[in-house]
Amino acid sequence: MTAPQTQQQPTRENHVTTGATVWLTGLPSAGKTTIAYELAGRLRAEGRRVEVLDGDEIRTFLSAGLGFGREDRDTNVQRIGFVAELLARNGVLALVPVIAPFADSREAVRKRHQANGTGYLEVHVATPVEVCSVRDVKGLYAKQAAGEISGLTGVDDPYEAPDSPDLRIESQDQTVQESAAALHALLTERGLA
């Protein structure tokens, strides 16, 4: 009598199960969300578990009622950071295209990830304000110029650019696909893609 054979599960040699958070920071209309969705599509096609935590969606569903003052912005960033870390700790690659204008808020999120042993990358989508205002995806720059709104990040409200991000993308000098490819290369280099 022979022992029953056990079926081996198929394995992918390069299957990555480690999650991480990739925070894309930059001015409004810098291209953060567009790059995140482009990268997410590529990663999903490779079999990765990916979630995009879009800042606008978070404001609607998780941070409704928060304003745009310093304290509310910090609360918003910390909430998003908590959710991203939770996802990342459970094997999901969390792409977070959120302005997060203050360096100390972003650093607090990084420290939360480090404390839990969770991967965290900061990507600065360093598109100049002049380019962002021409793109003006949501019409915010036009509204600010017309005096309809105030407190626009990078115009009449502060934006503290990262001093030493893991990657700096100058989206005005490359296509969305090239920007996503540069970020994919970084993830591959760090063993996250």
Coordinates of all heavy atoms in Angstrom, one line a residue, residues 151-191:
G151 N -7.0 79.3 1.5 CA -6.4 78.1 2.1 C -6.0 77.0 1.2 O -6.0 75.8 1.5
L152 N -5.6 77.4 -0.1 CA -5.2 76.4 -1.1 C -3.7 76.0 -0.8 O -2.8 76.9 -0.9 CB -5.4 77.0 -2.5 CG -5.0 76.0 -3.6 CD1 -5.8 74.7 -3.5 CD2 -5.2 76.7 -5.0
T153 N -3.5 74.8 -0.6 CA -2.2 74.3 -0.3 C -1.2 74.7 -1.4 O -1.4 74.5 -2.5 CB -2.2 72.8 -0.1 OG1 -3.1 72.4 0.9 CG2 -0.8 72.2 0.2
G154 N -0.1 75.3 -0.9 CA 1.0 75.7 -1.8 C 0.8 77.1 -2.5 O 1.7 77.6 -3.1
V155 N -0.4 77.7 -2.2 CA -0.7 79.0 -2.8 C -0.8 80.0 -1.6 O 0.0 80.8 -1.4 CB -1.9 79.0 -3.7 CG1 -2.2 80.4 -4.2 CG2 -1.7 78.1 -4.9
D156 N -1.9 79.9 -0.9 CA -2.1 80.7 0.3 C -2.2 79.9 1.6 O -2.7 80.4 2.6 CB -3.2 81.7 0.1 CG -4.6 81.0 -0.1 OD1 -4.6 79.8 -0.2 OD2 -5.6 81.8 0.0
D157 N -1.7 78.7 1.5 CA -1.6 77.8 2.7 C -0.3 77.1 2.6 O 0.1 76.7 1.4 CB -2.9 76.9 2.8 CG -3.3 76.6 4.2 OD1 -3.3 77.5 5.0 OD2 -3.6 75.4 4.5
P158 N 0.3 76.7 3.7 CA 1.7 76.1 3.5 C 1.6 74.7 3.0 O 0.7 73.9 3.2 CB 2.2 76.1 5.0 CG 1.1 76.4 5.9 CD 0.0 77.0 5.1
Y159 N 2.7 74.4 2.3 CA 3.0 73.0 1.9 C 4.5 72.8 2.2 O 5.4 73.5 1.7 CB 2.8 72.7 0.5 CG 3.2 71.3 0.1 CD1 2.5 70.2 0.5 CD2 4.4 71.1 -0.6 CE1 2.9 68.9 0.2 CE2 4.8 69.8 -0.9 CZ 4.1 68.7 -0.5 OH 4.5 67.4 -0.7
E160 N 4.8 71.8 3.1 CA 6.2 71.5 3.5 C 6.6 70.3 2.7 O 6.3 69.2 3.0 CB 6.2 71.2 5.0 CG 5.8 72.4 5.8 CD 5.6 72.1 7.3 OE1 5.8 71.0 7.7 OE2 5.3 73.1 8.0
A161 N 7.4 70.6 1.6 CA 7.9 69.5 0.8 C 8.8 68.6 1.6 O 9.6 69.1 2.4 CB 8.6 70.1 -0.4
P162 N 8.8 67.3 1.3 CA 9.8 66.4 2.0 C 11.2 66.7 1.6 O 11.5 67.0 0.5 CB 9.4 65.0 1.4 CG 8.1 65.1 0.8 CD 7.9 66.6 0.4
D163 N 12.1 66.7 2.7 CA 13.5 67.0 2.4 C 14.2 65.8 1.8 O 15.0 66.0 0.9 CB 14.2 67.2 3.8 CG 13.8 68.6 4.4 OD1 13.5 69.5 3.6 OD2 13.7 68.6 5.6
S164 N 13.8 64.6 2.2 CA 14.5 63.4 1.6 C 13.5 62.3 1.4 O 13.5 61.3 2.1 CB 15.6 63.0 2.5 OG 15.2 62.7 3.8
P165 N 12.6 62.4 0.4 CA 11.7 61.3 0.1 C 12.4 60.1 -0.4 O 13.5 60.2 -0.9 CB 10.7 62.0 -0.9 CG 11.6 62.9 -1.6 CD 12.5 63.5 -0.6
D166 N 11.7 59.0 -0.4 CA 12.3 57.8 -1.0 C 12.3 57.9 -2.5 O 13.2 57.3 -3.1 CB 11.4 56.5 -0.6 CG 11.4 56.3 0.9 OD1 12.4 55.7 1.4 OD2 10.5 56.7 1.6
L167 N 11.5 58.7 -3.0 CA 11.5 59.0 -4.5 C 10.9 60.3 -4.7 O 9.9 60.7 -4.1 CB 10.6 57.9 -5.2 CG 10.5 58.0 -6.7 CD1 11.8 57.8 -7.4 CD2 9.5 57.0 -7.3
R168 N 11.5 61.1 -5.7 CA 10.9 62.3 -6.1 C 10.5 62.2 -7.6 O 11.3 61.8 -8.4 CB 11.9 63.5 -5.9 CG 11.3 64.9 -6.1 CD 12.3 66.0 -5.8 NE 13.1 65.8 -4.6 CZ 12.7 66.2 -3.4 NH1 11.5 66.7 -3.2 NH2 13.5 66.0 -2.3
I169 N 9.3 62.4 -7.9 CA 8.8 62.3 -9.3 C 8.4 63.8 -9.7 O 7.7 64.5 -9.1 CB 7.5 61.5 -9.3 CG1 7.8 60.0 -9.0 CG2 6.8 61.6 -10.7 CD1 6.6 59.1 -8.9
E170 N 9.0 64.1 -10.9 CA 8.8 65.4 -11.5 C 7.8 65.1 -12.7 O 8.2 64.9 -13.8 CB 10.1 66.0 -11.9 CG 11.1 66.0 -10.9 CD 11.7 67.4 -10.5 OE1 11.4 68.4 -11.3 OE2 12.4 67.4 -9.5
S171 N 6.5 65.1 -12.3 CA 5.5 64.6 -13.3 C 5.4 65.5 -14.5 O 4.9 65.0 -15.6 CB 4.2 64.4 -12.6 OG 3.6 65.7 -12.4
Q172 N 5.9 66.7 -14.5 CA 5.8 67.6 -15.6 C 6.8 67.2 -16.7 O 6.7 67.6 -17.8 CB 6.0 69.1 -15.2 CG 7.4 69.4 -14.9 CD 7.8 69.1 -13.4 OE1 7.1 68.4 -12.7 NE2 9.0 69.5 -13.0
D173 N 7.8 66.4 -16.3 CA 8.8 66.0 -17.3 C 8.7 64.6 -17.8 O 9.6 64.1 -18.5 CB 10.2 66.1 -16.6 CG 10.5 67.5 -16.2 OD1 10.0 68.5 -16.9 OD2 11.3 67.7 -15.2
Q174 N 7.6 63.8 -17.4 CA 7.4 62.5 -17.9 C 6.0 62.1 -17.9 O 5.1 62.8 -17.4 CB 8.2 61.5 -17.0 CG 7.8 61.6 -15.5 CD 8.8 60.8 -14.6 OE1 10.0 60.6 -15.0 NE2 8.3 60.3 -13.5
T175 N 5.7 61.0 -18.6 CA 4.3 60.6 -18.7 C 3.8 60.0 -17.4 O 4.7 59.6 -16.6 CB 4.1 59.6 -19.9 OG1 4.8 58.4 -19.5 CG2 4.6 60.1 -21.2
V176 N 2.5 59.8 -17.3 CA 2.0 59.1 -16.1 C 2.6 57.7 -16.1 O 3.0 57.2 -15.0 CB 0.4 59.0 -16.2 CG1 -0.1 58.1 -15.1 CG2 -0.1 60.4 -16.1
Q177 N 2.7 57.0 -17.2 CA 3.2 55.6 -17.3 C 4.7 55.6 -16.8 O 5.1 54.7 -16.1 CB 3.1 55.1 -18.7 CG 1.7 54.8 -19.1 CD 0.9 56.1 -19.5 OE1 1.5 57.1 -19.8 NE2 -0.4 56.0 -19.5
E178 N 5.5 56.6 -17.2 CA 6.9 56.7 -16.8 C 7.0 57.0 -15.3 O 7.8 56.4 -14.6 CB 7.6 57.8 -17.6 CG 7.8 57.5 -19.0 CD 8.3 58.7 -19.9 OE1 8.0 59.8 -19.5 OE2 8.9 58.4 -20.9
S179 N 6.1 57.8 -14.8 CA 6.1 58.1 -13.3 C 5.7 56.8 -12.6 O 6.4 56.5 -11.6 CB 5.1 59.2 -13.0 OG 5.4 60.4 -13.6
A180 N 4.7 56.1 -13.0 CA 4.3 54.8 -12.4 C 5.4 53.8 -12.5 O 5.7 53.0 -11.5 CB 3.0 54.3 -13.0
A181 N 6.1 53.8 -13.6 CA 7.2 52.8 -13.8 C 8.4 53.1 -12.8 O 9.0 52.2 -12.3 CB 7.7 52.8 -15.2
A182 N 8.7 54.4 -12.6 CA 9.7 54.8 -11.7 C 9.4 54.3 -10.3 O 10.2 53.8 -9.5 CB 9.9 56.3 -11.7
L183 N 8.1 54.5 -9.9 CA 7.7 54.0 -8.6 C 7.7 52.5 -8.5 O 8.1 51.9 -7.5 CB 6.3 54.6 -8.3 CG 5.7 54.3 -6.9 CD1 6.7 54.5 -5.8 CD2 4.5 55.2 -6.7
H184 N 7.3 51.8 -9.6 CA 7.3 50.4 -9.6 C 8.7 49.9 -9.4 O 9.0 48.9 -8.7 CB 6.7 49.9 -10.9 CG 6.5 48.4 -10.9 ND1 7.5 47.5 -11.3 CD2 5.4 47.6 -10.7 CE1 7.1 46.3 -11.2 NE2 5.8 46.3 -10.8
A185 N 9.7 50.5 -10.1 CA 11.1 50.2 -10.0 C 11.6 50.3 -8.5 O 12.3 49.4 -8.0 CB 11.9 51.0 -10.9
L186 N 11.2 51.3 -7.8 CA 11.5 51.5 -6.4 C 10.9 50.4 -5.6 O 11.6 49.8 -4.7 CB 11.1 52.8 -5.9 CG 11.3 53.1 -4.4 CD1 12.8 53.1 -4.1 CD2 10.6 54.4 -3.9
L187 N 9.7 50.0 -5.8 CA 9.0 49.0 -5.1 C 9.7 47.6 -5.3 O 9.9 46.8 -4.4 CB 7.5 48.8 -5.5 CG 6.6 50.0 -5.0 CD1 5.3 49.9 -5.7 CD2 6.5 50.0 -3.5
T188 N 10.1 47.4 -6.6 CA 10.8 46.2 -6.9 C 12.2 46.1 -6.2 O 12.6 45.1 -5.6 CB 11.0 46.1 -8.4 OG1 9.7 46.1 -9.0 CG2 11.8 44.8 -8.8
E189 N 12.9 47.2 -6.2 CA 14.2 47.4 -5.5 C 14.1 47.1 -4.1 O 15.0 46.4 -3.5 CB 14.7 48.8 -5.8 CG 16.0 49.1 -5.1 CD 16.4 50.6 -5.2 OE1 16.4 51.0 -6.4 OE2 16.6 51.2 -4.2
R190 N 13.0 47.5 -3.4 CA 12.8 47.3 -2.0 C 12.1 46.0 -1.7 O 11.8 45.7 -0.5 CB 11.9 48.5 -1.4 CG 12.5 49.8 -1.7 CD 13.6 50.2 -0.7 NE 14.2 51.5 -1.0 CZ 13.9 52.6 -0.4 NH1 12.9 52.7 0.4 NH2 14.5 53.7 -0.8
G191 N 11.9 45.1 -2.7 CA 11.2 43.8 -2.4 C 9.8 43.9 -2.2 O 9.2 43.0 -1.5

